[in-house]
Amino acid sequence: MGLTNRNNRFNLLRLVAALAVFVAHGDFLYRLHLPVPFPGHSLGSLAVYVFFFISGYLVCQSWSREPDWIAFWIKRMMRIFPGLIVAVAFSVCILGWSVTTLSSRDYWQSSATWLNLVNNAVGVATVQTLPGVFESNPFARAVNGSLWTIRYELTMYFLLATIAWGARGRRWVYPVGAIVLALLWELARIGHWDAAIEGVGGALADVFRWRDFCGFGVPFFMGSTMAAYGIRPRRWMGVIAVLAGVCALYETNALLLQGLVWGGIVFGTFYVAHVGRSEPLGVARVQADLSYGVYIYAFPVQQAATALCLREGWSLMACMLLSLVPVVLLALLSWYGVEKPGIRAGSRWLAAVRTGRAMPVANS
């Protein structure tokens, strides 16, 4: 396998990516403007590509260390859902209730309130409104517009585990997965597959877009490829990332542009994560991972701050600063009070599962 999880800057880069989403959403929620570094690619979408690349790299390592379905899903679920459930409860039961224009009785009796809670807590995130909440904001009614990517994250976990289990250690399946997804992205683009899904409507149109599934899947499986083949950081990766970024500024062909963005994100993230690290493997300490907390709390806090700042006539910068402090505090509380204990609970659960499996062997 590749470098140990501890000998890198992945936690830092995920935090930077989460803050990039924070900045992009702050601008959009305040004045409906998205920062777009490359044609068709907002700052937020680039940051999400970073998340998926790092996730693919680390999750592939996790599967390789313990290629077991139960163990794999215990780790994944206990990392995702404790923080998610608490964040959704915060949005619905505290923030939404405190800012709704409805009476408390009407708010709690509305089926829409409970539908939002359940829909987002299970990771589907297709219901983004709460009754009477943020109805006068520029981006009206959306409560937590960041959570929709989690369903794609869970889908990638399932794909990786299925492919890895079926491949029985054959590493070539990971680059093949990335290539197939890239081809599907182009076929979907030229064939207007997403438009066809939207035209039919229904549940599928709410939960699935080819451009998102393939767009996130390519960096995810490129990360898995790097982990599976034990790729080491090299200086040429940084050079490729810079060249890809420069070329992407001027590229007009959609497929070439997308390839440049994928390549720049993958090689740039991997290189920056490892360049200059001098600690022996396993020595570098794992710092608090605040990225997930920032990601799942930022949007509703920013919507509340936007409503206040626009009402008071405060600037975008004031709105950003007013949002940042509670978001960081909530991320700290989420990590130390929910996510980290959840990971430890998952470890205890997994240990119990392993012990239960070992018992018949020990008694035989």
Side-chain angles (χ1 to χ4, degrees), residues 102-117:
L102 302 185
S103 67
S104 292
R105 179 179 179 178
D106 289 342
Y107 180 78
W108 294 118
Q109 287 186 344
S110 173
S111 61
T113 300
W114 303 104
L115 179 60
N116 181 290
L117 179 67

Side-chain angles (χ1 to χ4, degrees), residues 232-243:
R232 312 291 292 192
R234 295 290 184 265
R235 187 173 300 174
W236 58 263
M237 296 179 179
V239 175
I240 286 180
V242 172
L243 290 176

Side-chain angles (χ1 to χ4, degrees), residues 258-272:
Q258 187 67 38
L260 289 168
V261 169
W262 281 329
I265 290 293
V266 166
F267 289 115
T269 301
F270 190 73
Y271 181 71
V272 172

Side-chain angles (χ1 to χ4, degrees), residues 11-361:
N11 280 352
L12 175 61
L13 288 176
R14 283 191 293 203
L15 179 57
V16 171
L19 291 173
V21 174
F22 170 88
V23 170
H25 282 168
D27 194 2
F28 180 72
L29 296 177
Y30 187 89
R31 56 180 181 175
L32 297 180
H33 173 266
L34 272 178
V36 181
F38 306 112
H41 293 83
S42 69
L43 178 63
S45 68
L46 296 176
V48 174
Y49 283 163
V50 172
F51 283 131
F52 274 84
F53 166 72
I54 295 175
S55 180
Y57 184 86
L58 298 181
V59 170
C60 182
Q61 287 188 331
S62 177
W63 174 270
S64 297
R65 285 191 296 268
E66 189 170 15
D68 177 87
W69 274 89
I70 294 177
F72 180 82
W73 282 108
I74 288 175
K75 294 174 187 175
R76 303 286 77 76
M77 296 301 98
M78 295 307 290
R79 182 64 186 97
I80 294 291
F81 282 100
L84 175 64
I85 291 169
V86 173
V88 172
F90 167 82
S91 297
V92 174
C93 301
I94 298 178
L95 186 59
W97 171 61
S98 67
V99 304
T100 182
T101 57
L102 302 185
S103 67
S104 292
R105 179 179 179 178
D106 289 342
Y107 180 78
W108 294 118
Q109 287 186 344
S110 173
S111 61
T113 300
W114 303 104
L115 179 60
N116 181 290
L117 179 67
V118 173
N119 178 272
N120 286 278
V122 300
V124 177
T126 57
V127 178
Q128 283 302 310
T129 62
L130 284 169
V133 175
F134 303 139
E135 291 182 336
S136 299
N137 280 30
F139 190 59
R141 306 191 69 197
V143 175
N144 198 334
S146 297
L147 300 185
W148 66 274
T149 61
I150 291 177
R151 63 177 179 263
Y152 289 102
E153 180 84 6
L154 295 171
T155 303
M156 293 304 153
Y157 295 163
F158 177 79
L159 277 179
L160 184 142
T162 302
I163 291 171
W165 177 80
R168 296 293 193 270
R170 297 179 181 89
R171 298 180 295 178
W172 55 264
V173 296
Y174 300 111
V176 168
I179 292 169
V180 168
L181 286 168
L183 291 174
L184 285 174
W185 183 93
E186 175 62 5
L187 290 173
R189 185 186 69 84
I190 62 178
H192 305 289
W193 292 359
D194 285 333
I197 293 174
E198 292 168 2
V200 173
L204 182 60
D206 290 335
V207 301
F208 184 81
R209 297 288 186 278
W210 282 103
R211 62 180 176 269
D212 297 322
F213 172 72
C214 299
F216 299 152
V218 171
F220 183 90
F221 277 96
M222 290 178 76
S224 300
T225 298
M226 287 186 160
Y229 283 90
I231 303 297
R232 312 291 292 192
R234 295 290 184 265
R235 187 173 300 174
W236 58 263
M237 296 179 179
V239 175
I240 286 180
V242 172
L243 290 176
V246 172
C247 292
L249 291 172
Y250 303 100
E251 183 56 59
T252 57
N253 179 274
L255 178 59
L256 290 178
L257 173 61
Q258 187 67 38
L260 289 168
V261 169
W262 281 329
I265 290 293
V266 166
F267 289 115
T269 301
F270 190 73
Y271 181 71
V272 172
H274 296 100
V275 65
R277 299 297 291 189
S278 59
E279 298 92 341
L281 298 185
V283 171
R285 295 181 179 179
V286 178
Q287 303 296 321
D289 185 1
L290 303 184
S291 59
Y292 188 51
V294 170
Y295 190 77
I296 59 180
Y297 281 99
F299 197 102
V301 171
Q302 288 178 287
Q303 278 284 58
T306 297
L308 173 63
C309 290
L310 290 177
R311 185 170 66 245
E312 299 296 330
W314 297 342
S315 68
L316 171 61
M317 184 57 66
C319 188
M320 291 280 199
L321 294 175
L322 183 62
S323 305
L324 183 60
V325 173
V327 166
V328 171
L329 289 176
L330 286 167
L332 284 166
L333 289 172
S334 180
W335 172 252
Y336 287 108
V338 181
E339 297 169 51
K340 192 173 182 180
I343 294 170
R344 288 174 175 169
S347 297
R348 292 192 295 269
W349 182 9
L350 189 52
V353 170
R354 291 169 180 150
T355 300
R357 288 176 172 177
M359 287 296 289
V361 176

